[in-house]
Amino acid sequence: VEVMRPEMLMSVLEAIRHNQHRQQSNLRLFEFGKSYIKADGTYLESHKLAVALVGWVKESWLIPSLESSHEYFILKSVAEQVLAFLGIDTKAAQKTGNSYLQDGLDYLQKDHVIASVGIVRNTLVKGMNAKGPIHYLEFDWDEVTRIVNIDNVTVKPISKFPSVRRDLSLVVHKNVTFNAIKDIVIKQGGALLASIDLFDVYTDSSVLGDDKKSYAISMTFRDKRKTLSDKGVDVMIKRISDRLNEQLGAKLR
């Protein structure tokens, strides 16, 4: 089998170059499209889903010390979560054999590579007049859909009502885990809690005191039937804060 140039990757690199030349250096992109191979004189078409990360997005609430290596593990996590969501085992993985990735993994199903994740080779990045490192994930979507029973996939419409995000900065004992906080928030937030995330951990004892640390968490609330009011969300946040204080000794920072 003669493999042609990786059209999907080249398309993604062109999009990255276009953005970088316009002063957009921190990028998170995805693309769905077609790729081709030539076998026995015949061109074979396949569908690919690609995701790329370029430059860690240093949003104001993120830990500033994060390094670019985090991007690889983020994409690895994305690959495994997508496959796990579709009921595909991710244990069969090996060092990538993709010639355009210098490091990374291939995920296999019955000797077929269904996804690859890694760092795009620097020679290819420079050849496209782009800047790296570029972390890249590509699914062979035809292989994925052959494995998955599509009839079992349930699709739900996106709510037409807006979500509300609220952040809390909590000071707790150093032995308190985020999972302990998460369990209480999920219980108190109920059906209106769409998500909870940890976006910062602060451990300066000169500021917080001995044996203390600070967790900064974000919570997103959404009601599928109506628009949430600020007053209603405030009541919920108060209830969550009170329970965190009662059960974990958490105090607002």
Side-chain angles (χ1 to χ4, degrees):
V1 175
E2 177 189 348
V3 181
M4 297 176 66
R5 80 175 202 164
E7 290 89 350
M8 178 61 72
L9 174 58
M10 302 303 288
S11 176
V12 171
L13 289 178
E14 288 174 359
I16 290 171
R17 178 186 63 195
H18 177 86
N19 280 274
Q20 288 180 336
H21 287 186
R22 286 156 180 79
Q23 310 304 314
Q24 299 298 319
S25 58
N26 298 329
L27 303 170
R28 291 176 286 188
L29 307 175
F30 79 93
E31 184 170 345
F32 184 82
K34 298 176 182 179
S35 187
Y36 301 88
I37 62 173
K38 184 178 181 181
D40 299 325
T42 302
Y43 293 101
L44 303 177
E45 178 183 286
S46 62
H47 294 85
K48 307 288 185 182
L49 172 62
V51 185
L53 295 183
V54 190
W56 177 251
V57 182
K58 295 182 174 65
E59 300 183 46
S60 60
W61 58 82
L62 292 173
I63 302 172
S65 61
L66 287 178
E67 299 175 355
S68 62
S69 60
H70 282 72
E71 295 174 359
Y72 169 76
F73 293 105
I74 289 170
L75 278 191
K76 181 175 181 291
S77 176
V78 168
E80 295 178 358
Q81 288 184 55
V82 168
L83 295 176
F85 177 77
L86 296 172
I88 300 175
D89 185 13
T90 59
K91 294 180 182 178
Q94 64 183 25
K95 184 176 180 180
T96 185
N98 278 318
S99 60
Y100 50 85
L101 299 180
Q102 63 188 36
D103 290 300
L105 292 173
D106 288 337
Y107 293 92
L108 308 175
Q109 283 288 314
K110 297 181 179 180
D111 298 327
H112 291 288
V113 177
I114 59 174
S116 299
V117 60
I119 304 172
V120 181
R121 289 193 177 277
N122 195 43
T123 52
L124 186 56
V125 174
K126 287 185 176 180
M128 290 294 295
N129 196 22
K131 297 178 182 179
I134 296 174
H135 295 76
Y136 184 74
L137 164 62
E138 184 175 291
F139 293 95
D140 186 332
W141 207 246
D142 289 335
E143 287 293 333
V144 170
T145 54
R146 271 193 280 269
I147 298 169
V148 177
N149 184 353
I150 298 300
D151 293 336
N152 290 335
V153 176
T154 302
V155 178
K156 296 181 180 179
I158 298 174
S159 174
K160 63 181 179 180
F161 300 107
S163 59
V164 177
R165 171 175 165 160
R166 293 293 175 85
D167 296 347
L168 288 179
S169 184
L170 304 167
V171 177
V172 296
H173 189 273
K174 67 178 182 180
N175 293 331
V176 173
T177 65
F178 170 64
N179 283 336
I181 294 173
K182 183 177 179 180
D183 289 343
I184 294 173
V185 173
I186 290 174
K187 183 176 180 180
Q188 297 302 318
L192 296 181
L193 180 68
S195 66
I196 172 175
D197 295 293
L198 173 68
F199 60 82
D200 193 14
V201 180
Y202 186 68
T203 58
D204 190 340
S205 60
S206 65
V207 176
L208 302 175
D210 294 335
D211 298 329
K212 298 291 184 181
K213 63 183 175 183
S214 173
Y215 283 129
I217 64 173
S218 67
M219 296 164 288
T220 302
F221 300 93
R222 183 183 299 113
D223 193 327
K224 298 178 181 178
R225 302 164 299 173
K226 62 183 181 180
T227 299
L228 291 171
S229 67
D230 287 338
K231 184 177 180 180
V233 175
D234 289 342
V235 170
M236 200 177 330
I237 294 296
K238 177 67 165 54
R239 185 171 67 243
I240 289 172
S241 299
D242 288 345
R243 295 298 177 273
L244 289 171
N245 179 260
E246 292 170 5
Q247 298 182 34
L248 300 177
K251 297 182 179 180
L252 295 179
R253 183 178 168 192

